[in-house]
Amino acid sequence: MHQDYIKPDNWSIIEEGFERDNVKSSESLFSIGNGAMGQRANFEEKYSGETFQGSYIGGVYYPDKTKVGWWKNGYPEYFAKVLNAPNWIGIDIEINGEEFDMNVCAQVKNFKRELNMQQGWYNRSFEAKLQNGTEISVNVRRFLCADLDEAGIIKYDITPLNNDAKIVFKPYIDAGVHNEDANWEEKFWEPLSVNQKGENAFVTARTFKTHFTATTFMHNSVSVDGTVLGTTENVEKTNDKIQFTYTVSAGKGQVASIEKIGGYTSSMNHQDTVSAADSVIASAKAKGYETLLRDQIDAWAKVWEMSDITIDGDVKAQQGIRFNIFQLNQTYSGKDSRLNIGPKGFTGEKYGGSTYWDTEAYCIPFYMATKDQQVAKNLLVYRYNQLDKAIENAAKLGFTNGAALYPMVTMNGEECHNEWEITFEEIHRNGAIAFAIFNYVRYTGDYSYVPEKGLEVLIAIARFWQQRATWSTAKNQYVILGVTGPNEYENNVNNNFYTNYLAQWCINYTVEQLEKVSAEFGQDYERILGKTKLTLNEVSKWKDVADKMYLPYSEEHQVYLQQDGFLDKELVKVHDLDKSQRPINQKWSWDRILRSPYIKQADTLQGFYFFEDHFSKEELERHFDFYEPFTVHESSLSPCVHSIQAAVLGKMEMAYTFYLRTSRLDLDDYNKEVEEGLHITSMAGTWMSIVEGFGGMRVKDNQLHFSPRIPKEWNGYSFKINFRGQILKISVHPETTDFALEGGEELTVFVNGKAVTVEPNGLVTV
Amino acid sequence: MHQDYIKPDNWSIIEEGFERDNVKSSESLFSIGNGAMGQRANFEEKYSGETFQGSYIGGVYYPDKTKVGWWKNGYPEYFAKVLNAPNWIGIDIEINGEEFDMNVCAQVKNFKRELNMQQGWYNRSFEAKLQNGTEISVNVRRFLCADLDEAGIIKYDITPLNNDAKIVFKPYIDAGVHNEDANWEEKFWEPLSVNQKGENAFVTARTFKTHFTATTFMHNSVSVDGTVLGTTENVEKTNDKIQFTYTVSAGKGQVASIEKIGGYTSSMNHQDTVSAADSVIASAKAKGYETLLRDQIDAWAKVWEMSDITIDGDVKAQQGIRFNIFQLNQTYSGKDSRLNIGPKGFTGEKYGGSTYWDTEAYCIPFYMATKDQQVAKNLLVYRYNQLDKAIENAAKLGFTNGAALYPMVTMNGEECHNEWEITFEEIHRNGAIAFAIFNYVRYTGDYSYVPEKGLEVLIAIARFWQQRATWSTAKNQYVILGVTGPNEYENNVNNNFYTNYLAQWCINYTVEQLEKVSAEFGQDYERILGKTKLTLNEVSKWKDVADKMYLPYSEEHQVYLQQDGFLDKELVKVHDLDKSQRPINQKWSWDRILRSPYIKQADTLQGFYFFEDHFSKEELERHFDFYEPFTVHESSLSPCVHSIQAAVLGKMEMAYTFYLRTSRLDLDDYNKEVEEGLHITSMAGTWMSIVEGFGGMRVKDNQLHFSPRIPKEWNGYSFKINFRGQILKISVHPETTDFALEGGEELTVFVNGKAVTVEPNGLVTV
């Protein structure tokens, strides 16, 4: 596959020229989504070449029976798979009697894909010569409506170039799809009914086991040069598919078009999914293609109005950050607290599940700053709603008394990962979930979530940490044995600094919130104490653990140790490692990785990122200088944290390099795997690299702080944030920074420690 | 399933009464084998109840495609599965028109199974009333010839009890069998041909991938009251099965018999397996049933002559040890150096592979002392023959320069296990393989194996250890990071005492052998140096590692630590653990087991077992008293080592308890899993418990030492050993011990340190 074939452009992702080897990668890169559903950029017409078909409905999953070589007690029986949903984009096409298939055309030229991120649509255009000699020009535009989020629309135009042509459009909807990621090659969808109502068609299918019902629908309208033609001539039905037929005669130079409205209505939102689908079609038809497109452009304009980042003088960097922001908005709109941010969003099946600690550790800051604060709150509520399952999960592992262990990977709150070293041992995820509550309150100033819901989550997490820590007689302190930290290149280690520190912090933070809720929200306090049966005696046990938590530290190096055994390793820096050995996760066996000092992603430094103000800059620098040289950044979540810390430490070259790596990870296919889908959650890390890294944005004591820095490659950059209902735009230039406020109240921010007050709708240059 | 349903008996395993729930367990317990093949005690006639069908050919396996949830670099692609071979025991039976099936009979009474260990046959007898009212008495005897080891014979007698009966015998051979343990439910056998030649029939099939060809054959002879009847009336053939039909009329009280000769000839031993099978049939026919049975009894008498252990006054203990010795002899005869001792022998499929470190650590002492020394040597040669594959295996994991890592599980030298914490980390197996060479020379006095073959193995192993150890700047010593010791309840630990100690010993022992071979076998030395390209510089690197090997030690407890982090654990003894929590491998999740102090089987103590004379008795006692209380003995290999050490330390109650547990593990089904097959390799540990534990046998400086002890439950016990060509029988009584020598030279042994000389064919009582 060609790397680096995407044209640099400020606002669009563009591919030019048809390369069969790029089809699967482009299917990922040109994916579209609207938060409720999404799909890979598969061709509408038949394509007999290599393709990875994917269309996804938010929240609809299948619990696939676990596949392992050797069962360990405690493994979950099921793995929630991201589910390839019925296909509604399909349009078979015949031209002068020949089935149209780009893979077997005599010639394809001027092929171009464009994903217009500014306006939220995907377009494909090309000219083709068929085997029968007919030459055609094709333009296909497709989008998933941002507002009417159960619908999408395709406008497929064909212009015969050298002859008149008889063109047959055969649009269909089909529930007979399969998953690439299926452990036992089972079918995941059971077809229930296939219905027609005039030009509307409906296929209703139900997932096995989970019993989600989804109706996939279509409505088609065919025209030649704008003159709309009649109804379908023929209907072919099977038990899981329905296909219509429209035949048109287009003269040379005339445009034969089909507009296909399609989408999904599911039992997550409707009792009667078929009649709901009928209503969605009616709404979309009432607007028509042009109005829907205008609505789409308007909707995305609003998104960009709030979340755009501009970079002046570096098109690739500009394209990178916009691609990241665009994909985050396509994946999660924050409207529905049952949804979350899957690691591949709506662009592939890999990893399964929709929710990882990525959400709390990486994504929440983006959604807090670029959306209404309800959006971030919905992500917190998602975990609150799954608290009972997290308590069950902990109970399976032997914890008691309402202790919760949130799952490593989940769709519905149940754990579905099955590698013991991750499933059972990567328990730090519990800490990120508590940290997100703290972070939300710090940024938004909205404390109400804590007494309403958050405190219950915190109590369950504190309970877990207290039970999980054990007393070491040898150390005369509490230890946490047998964990995997964020650095998954070490497994089953003792006293991972990040985990121990988070555990201690979680308990202390929970105790503080208990005191605050007790003092200020008495009624909530009583309710929560009643519900959780929490006693003072238990709290004092927690405190004992937090007070006497062991944190491994090297006097010699003056750094906290990633884990007890770190200094026993052969400390050869990445720099001194032969290039032929990398990436180590492809070149080395697992045991060799484990006993090496190489770090997949920020681990101790992740702790310094979360708790930056607990440490001095000198300490940060010492730890960064100690650990970064051992870090191979083989996780998509690694470069962003390092970019931010390099910026804080004034290492701007490094910060810029890390930034490029995180922002163009998929566009430039660094890991040679983009055909499997995009790395969605790390895209939020890219946003952080600019806002928190280069911009130096922090919130302390309810006030915004900035320390603007600019890579020498850039003329300037800007970003906007929503801070407590006011919109602040920060534009950084090499020598100055502008702060422009859209908001009704003056806002005092701190720039490199100095207070600067911006008037309502005012601008200040520093 | 009923536990403990086997009747105590000195020489036989006996089940009385037909219990459907016991069928699968009895199929395991009554298994028969002759070293070359073996089979579970499946019924010959159709049985529609629950059964686990199994017949196995030594060395014939199938490499099943690996199944894992998450692939790790370095995992082998295939797992050598123990292969259910074509069925040759099958005899469909019709009586007065009704198909005979014990599962649907109107009544079964006087059901009895007997495995006569003294004579090497298995017998099943019962009376049944069919649904059509016919009552019959049945006796079936079966054995696999110890001498003519490609053949077995069945004598199936039916006597009508209440009426005359028309009896149809329909013997068949069938390659259409399946494996219970198949990762992907694939077929493992491809049928090649089905032939008939008079009363002889042959089904030839080939394993997929490995292309072992095996011809399964039969010859039948039918009689009534001893009068042999005619030839088969009918032949039914499919592509993988052939079935004959014999109809006889038996009057009430007359015995209708079928004698079926069957077995396998395989491409491991023959070019033309069909004509080889024809010869085997001819040999067996020439002898006839009665002669074959007499030969069998004679052959087993010889086995017992050499390997019997008697226990006086404790039938269950007697039955236990004989069952263990019997199964070891059924599994491995030592004739063929391509074979080894599978963990389930010929009694089931579980675990796959045929060779584990069990062979070297547990089995070799038994075979050395009870067989010609060539048998043990063959087990060493087996590993020598697989040295290239062990070097390849190490290379896959990043080792170079001819370093070898022997596989954890293998059939042909290739690794086939796939859990990283075992496959890659349970590297101590390499040490046991070196130790077996040392142990063989120590016991047999035959040094020739070292210059001929063993030294090459030792060099490759020493290379591995030198490369696997890494320098710890912090400790200023060599460390071995990321291992799993024999205690599989700790994974990926650092500096496992047993592993580090063995590594150090392996290097030192190899260096000593290099010096000795250099001095005494110059030609071999040159050859080996040429072949291995070993340099003095490399040897000095080895020595550096051995000299500076770190061994974790606790000053406080005055014990070597099982691993670096052991003392950080919550050291709650097994005794204080709630019984409801056990066995922990069924009750606890894996992470909880890993961070607990509980030990699956001897680990530090395994080192003390191997190197007893490196430590004082006080040290042994301190370590035993420290570790045993944390040991849950959830491995079949655990009780025997503890029994031996308890005996050494004079803790006779413990020694006896551990002895019973190891010797009757399967007979009493301690682990509730006997239906999956027997624990063959641990049976050799049972033998060691008596000979090395109670008898206190050791070899030091080419001389035998004994420290006889006797459990108070016993009146006496005796065992025989072959020591360098002379047979010594040791009979231990409560107050005295007799030493009886069968041999042509006087033998001086040490009893509790005092020299005792036994004359040729003499007897000394001490």
Side-chain angles (χ1 to χ4, degrees), chain A residues 67-74 79 183-184 351 396-399 417-422 424-425 468-475 479 481-482 490-495 556 563-565 567-570 584-595, chain B residues 67-74 79 183-184 351 396-399 417-422 424-425 468-475 479 481-482 490-495 556 563-565 567-570 584-595:
Chain A
K67 182 178 76 172
V68 292
W70 304 90
W71 190 266
K72 307 274 194 195
N73 282 333
F79 192 110
N183 287 345
W184 308 98
Y351 302 128
K396 276 184 203 162
L397 304 185
F399 297 90
H417 195 79
N418 52 27
E419 286 176 292
W420 64 264
E421 62 273 19
I422 292 179
F424 303 148
E425 295 207 337
R468 186 59 169 76
T470 50
W471 181 255
S472 164
T473 305
K475 294 202 160 68
V479 292
L481 304 180
E490 290 186 319
N491 293 157
N492 196 40
V493 297
N494 294 337
N495 297 309
E556 183 193 347
Q563 48 99 357
D564 275 353
L567 288 184
D568 274 334
K569 296 187 164 196
E570 281 193 311
I584 60 172
N585 69 8
Q586 288 173 23
K587 301 298 174 71
W588 285 5
S589 67
W590 192 243
D591 60 311
R592 194 170 177 194
I593 291 174
L594 291 180
R595 64 181 182 270
Chain B
K67 182 178 77 172
V68 292
W70 304 91
W71 191 267
K72 307 273 193 195
N73 281 332
F79 193 111
N183 289 343
W184 309 97
Y351 302 128
K396 276 186 205 161
L397 304 185
F399 298 90
H417 194 80
N418 53 27
E419 286 176 294
W420 63 265
E421 62 274 18
I422 292 178
F424 304 147
E425 297 207 336
R468 186 60 169 76
T470 51
W471 181 256
S472 165
T473 306
K475 294 200 159 71
V479 292
L481 305 180
E490 289 187 320
N491 293 159
N492 196 41
V493 297
N494 294 336
N495 297 308
E556 184 192 347
Q563 47 99 358
D564 275 354
L567 288 184
D568 273 334
K569 296 186 162 195
E570 281 193 311
I584 62 171
N585 69 8
Q586 288 172 24
K587 300 298 174 69
W588 284 5
S589 68
W590 192 244
D591 60 310
R592 193 171 178 193
I593 290 173
L594 291 180
R595 63 180 182 271

Side-chain angles (χ1 to χ4, degrees), chain A residues 29-233:
Chain A
L29 289 168
F30 291 85
S31 290
I32 53 177
N34 66 3
M37 62 174 165
Q39 53 192 218
R40 291 170 58 82
N42 303 130
F43 297 158
E44 289 80 2
E45 76 280 0
K46 181 193 162 127
Y47 180 66
S48 60
E50 277 214 35
T51 166
F52 169 17
Q53 298 284 308
S55 189
Y56 311 98
I57 307 172
V60 173
Y61 67 95
Y62 179 81
D64 206 10
K65 193 157 175 296
T66 296
K67 182 178 76 172
V68 292
W70 304 90
W71 190 266
K72 307 274 194 195
N73 282 333
Y75 276 166
E77 288 189 48
Y78 298 101
F79 192 110
K81 287 287 164 76
V82 170
L83 190 55
N84 184 21
N87 175 352
W88 66 258
I89 68 162
I91 306 175
D92 290 336
I93 292 169
E94 259 177 50
I95 295 171
N96 287 334
E98 179 177 332
E99 181 177 46
F100 175 52
D101 174 352
M102 286 184 61
N103 195 41
V104 297
C105 274
Q107 197 187 19
V108 175
K109 59 182 185 179
N110 296 328
F111 180 87
K112 182 179 177 183
R113 296 194 201 235
E114 179 180 359
L115 181 63
N116 187 308
M117 301 187 287
Q118 188 170 30
Q119 304 193 339
W121 48 258
Y122 160 57
N123 202 90
R124 174 171 59 115
S125 58
F126 55 91
E127 287 158 31
K129 183 176 178 180
L130 276 70
Q131 294 185 329
N132 63 18
T134 312
E135 291 174 29
I136 54 172
S137 158
V138 174
N139 192 85
V140 195
R141 182 164 296 192
R142 189 160 100 201
F143 57 89
L144 302 181
C145 304
D147 295 332
L148 190 62
D149 68 5
E150 293 171 316
I153 190 159
I154 299 165
K155 185 166 187 296
Y156 199 118
D157 297 341
I158 303 177
T159 307
L161 297 177
N162 60 342
N163 282 307
D164 296 352
K166 187 183 137 195
I167 298 172
V168 185
F169 291 109
K170 297 183 72 177
Y172 62 88
I173 48 179
D174 180 11
V177 294
H178 80 283
N179 254 51
E180 301 242 331
D181 181 17
N183 287 345
W184 308 98
E185 311 205 352
E186 292 172 341
K187 280 233 151 210
F188 291 173
W189 288 99
E190 174 189 20
L192 295 183
S193 67
V194 174
N195 305 106
Q196 183 204 355
K197 186 178 155 195
E199 299 309 290
N200 296 359
F202 310 93
V203 171
T204 302
R206 186 168 59 186
T207 56
F208 287 101
K209 295 187 197 167
T210 34
H211 296 161
F212 288 105
T213 300
T215 293
T216 310
F217 55 84
M218 67 172 176
H219 168 90
N220 304 283
S221 145
V222 175
S223 63
V224 174
D225 268 1
T227 306
V228 176
L229 305 177
T231 57
T232 181
E233 300 142 29

Side-chain angles (χ1 to χ4, degrees), chain B residues 433-497:
Chain B
I433 289 163
F435 180 80
I437 296 172
F438 160 80
N439 203 13
Y440 172 80
V441 173
R442 175 172 64 175
Y443 188 86
T444 66
D446 170 24
Y447 191 73
S448 67
Y449 178 71
V450 176
E452 281 167 19
K453 300 195 160 98
L455 187 57
E456 290 177 51
V457 171
L458 293 172
I459 289 169
I461 287 174
R463 284 175 157 163
F464 173 82
W465 289 122
Q466 182 256 313
Q467 294 176 34
R468 186 60 169 76
T470 51
W471 181 256
S472 165
T473 306
K475 294 200 159 71
N476 209 30
Q477 282 188 287
Y478 286 98
V479 292
I480 302 185
L481 305 180
V483 306
T484 297
N487 171 26
E488 290 172 329
Y489 289 176
E490 289 187 320
N491 293 159
N492 196 41
V493 297
N494 294 336
N495 297 308
N496 171 256
F497 166 77

Side-chain angles (χ1 to χ4, degrees), chain B residues 366-616:
Chain B
F366 169 79
Y367 290 103
M368 286 196 299
T370 67
K371 302 277 176 201
D372 183 273
Q373 73 187 37
Q374 185 62 36
V375 171
K377 191 169 178 176
N378 274 348
L379 290 170
L380 303 186
V381 170
Y382 178 95
R383 294 290 194 178
Y384 175 76
N385 289 339
Q386 297 185 347
L387 177 58
D388 288 347
K389 292 259 167 80
I391 291 171
E392 266 175 46
N393 185 41
K396 276 186 205 161
L397 304 185
F399 298 90
T400 58
N401 187 35
L405 176 61
Y406 277 93
M408 189 64 196
V409 179
T410 193
M411 195 67 93
N412 66 346
E414 287 169 32
E415 175 64 80
C416 58
H417 194 80
N418 53 27
E419 286 176 294
W420 63 265
E421 62 274 18
I422 292 178
T423 310
F424 304 147
E425 297 207 336
E426 213 171 321
I427 55 177
H428 65 81
R429 58 197 186 240
N430 249 9
I433 289 163
F435 180 80
I437 296 172
F438 160 80
N439 203 13
Y440 172 80
V441 173
R442 175 172 64 175
Y443 188 86
T444 66
D446 170 24
Y447 191 73
S448 67
Y449 178 71
V450 176
E452 281 167 19
K453 300 195 160 98
L455 187 57
E456 290 177 51
V457 171
L458 293 172
I459 289 169
I461 287 174
R463 284 175 157 163
F464 173 82
W465 289 122
Q466 182 256 313
Q467 294 176 34
R468 186 60 169 76
T470 51
W471 181 256
S472 165
T473 306
K475 294 200 159 71
N476 209 30
Q477 282 188 287
Y478 286 98
V479 292
I480 302 185
L481 305 180
V483 306
T484 297
N487 171 26
E488 290 172 329
Y489 289 176
E490 289 187 320
N491 293 159
N492 196 41
V493 297
N494 294 336
N495 297 308
N496 171 256
F497 166 77
Y498 174 76
T499 304
N500 288 24
Y501 195 85
L502 253 188
Q504 183 183 50
W505 175 86
C506 282
I507 290 176
N508 288 334
Y509 180 67
T510 304
V511 172
E512 279 168 31
Q513 302 327 301
L514 271 171
E515 286 163 3
K516 187 171 163 79
V517 172
S518 161
E520 300 172 21
F521 303 85
Q523 229 174 328
D524 287 308
Y525 186 73
E526 291 309 318
R527 175 180 54 77
I528 292 168
L529 249 57
K531 187 169 173 188
T532 59
K533 313 250 185 305
L534 185 66
T535 64
L536 283 181
N537 181 39
E538 192 187 343
V539 175
S540 76
K541 274 196 214 161
W542 299 355
K543 282 184 186 164
D544 192 51
V545 169
D547 289 349
K548 298 174 188 155
M549 179 62 74
Y550 170 72
L551 298 171
Y553 190 78
S554 163
E555 290 297 338
E556 184 192 347
H557 299 281
Q558 296 277 304
V559 294
Y560 287 105
L561 289 174
Q562 186 161 289
Q563 47 99 358
D564 275 354
F566 194 78
L567 288 184
D568 273 334
K569 296 186 162 195
E570 281 193 311
L571 298 174
V572 177
K573 296 181 179 177
V574 177
H575 180 267
D576 297 323
L577 189 63
D578 195 290
K579 278 215 167 56
S580 69
Q581 305 292 298
R582 296 186 58 194
I584 62 171
N585 69 8
Q586 288 172 24
K587 300 298 174 69
W588 284 5
S589 68
W590 192 244
D591 60 310
R592 193 171 178 193
I593 290 173
L594 291 180
R595 63 180 182 271
S596 82
Y598 302 119
I599 301 171
K600 186 182 176 194
Q601 69 184 92
D603 190 303
T604 303
L605 293 179
Q606 184 76 31
F608 276 70
Y609 168 69
F610 276 174
F611 304 111
E612 193 182 60
D613 50 350
H614 296 195
F615 305 100
S616 70

Side-chain angles (χ1 to χ4, degrees), chain B residues 7 92 187 200 215 233 257 313 323 326 334 340 346 400-401 426 428 482 533 543 552 581-582 587 660 665 671 674 736:
Chain B
K7 305 282 162 273
D92 291 336
K187 278 232 152 209
N200 296 0
T215 294
E233 301 142 28
S257 281
F323 183 66
F326 181 70
N340 213 292
F346 297 120
T400 58
N401 187 35
E426 213 171 321
H428 65 81
K533 313 250 185 305
K543 282 184 186 164
Q581 305 292 298
R582 296 186 58 194
K587 300 298 174 69
L660 273 193
L665 178 72
N671 295 349
V674 76
T736 58

Side-chain angles (χ1 to χ4, degrees), chain A residues 653-670:
Chain A
E653 279 297 326
M654 280 179 94
Y656 179 69
T657 305
F658 284 129
Y659 167 76
L660 273 193
R661 184 158 170 174
T662 177
S663 72
R664 295 189 62 88
L665 178 72
D666 289 320
L667 286 178
D668 294 342
D669 202 8
Y670 273 78

Side-chain angles (χ1 to χ4, degrees), chain B residues 15 45 66 112 138 140 150 181 310 364 387 491 655 670 676:
Chain B
E15 174 187 14
E45 77 279 2
T66 297
K112 180 179 178 184
V138 174
V140 194
E150 295 172 315
D181 180 18
T310 66
I364 279 185
L387 177 58
N491 293 159
Y670 272 79
E676 295 172 345

Side-chain angles (χ1 to χ4, degrees), chain B residues 65-217:
Chain B
K65 192 156 177 297
T66 297
K67 182 178 77 172
V68 292
W70 304 91
W71 191 267
K72 307 273 193 195
N73 281 332
Y75 276 164
E77 289 189 47
Y78 299 100
F79 193 111
K81 287 287 165 76
V82 169
L83 192 55
N84 185 20
N87 176 351
W88 68 257
I89 67 162
I91 306 173
D92 291 336
I93 292 169
E94 261 178 49
I95 294 171
N96 288 333
E98 178 177 333
E99 179 177 48
F100 175 52
D101 174 352
M102 287 183 60
N103 195 40
V104 297
C105 275
Q107 197 186 20
V108 175
K109 59 181 185 180
N110 296 327
F111 180 87
K112 180 179 178 184
R113 297 195 199 233
E114 179 179 0
L115 180 64
N116 187 309
M117 302 187 286
Q118 188 170 30
Q119 307 193 338
W121 48 257
Y122 161 57
N123 202 90
R124 174 170 59 115
S125 58
F126 55 90
E127 288 159 30
K129 182 176 181 181
L130 276 69
Q131 291 185 332
N132 63 18
T134 311
E135 291 175 27
I136 55 172
S137 159
V138 174
N139 192 83
V140 194
R141 182 164 297 193
R142 189 160 100 202
F143 55 90
L144 303 181
C145 303
D147 296 331
L148 189 64
D149 68 6
E150 295 172 315
I153 191 160
I154 299 164
K155 185 167 187 297
Y156 200 118
D157 299 340
I158 303 177
T159 308
L161 297 177
N162 60 342
N163 281 309
D164 297 350
K166 185 181 138 197
I167 298 173
V168 185
F169 291 109
K170 297 183 74 178
Y172 62 88
I173 48 181
D174 179 13
V177 294
H178 79 283
N179 254 52
E180 301 241 333
D181 180 18
N183 289 343
W184 309 97
E185 310 206 352
E186 292 172 343
K187 278 232 152 209
F188 292 172
W189 288 99
E190 175 190 18
L192 295 184
S193 68
V194 175
N195 304 106
Q196 185 203 352
K197 187 178 153 193
E199 300 308 292
N200 296 0
F202 310 93
V203 171
T204 303
R206 186 168 59 187
T207 56
F208 288 101
K209 295 189 197 167
T210 35
H211 296 160
F212 288 105
T213 300
T215 294
T216 309
F217 57 82

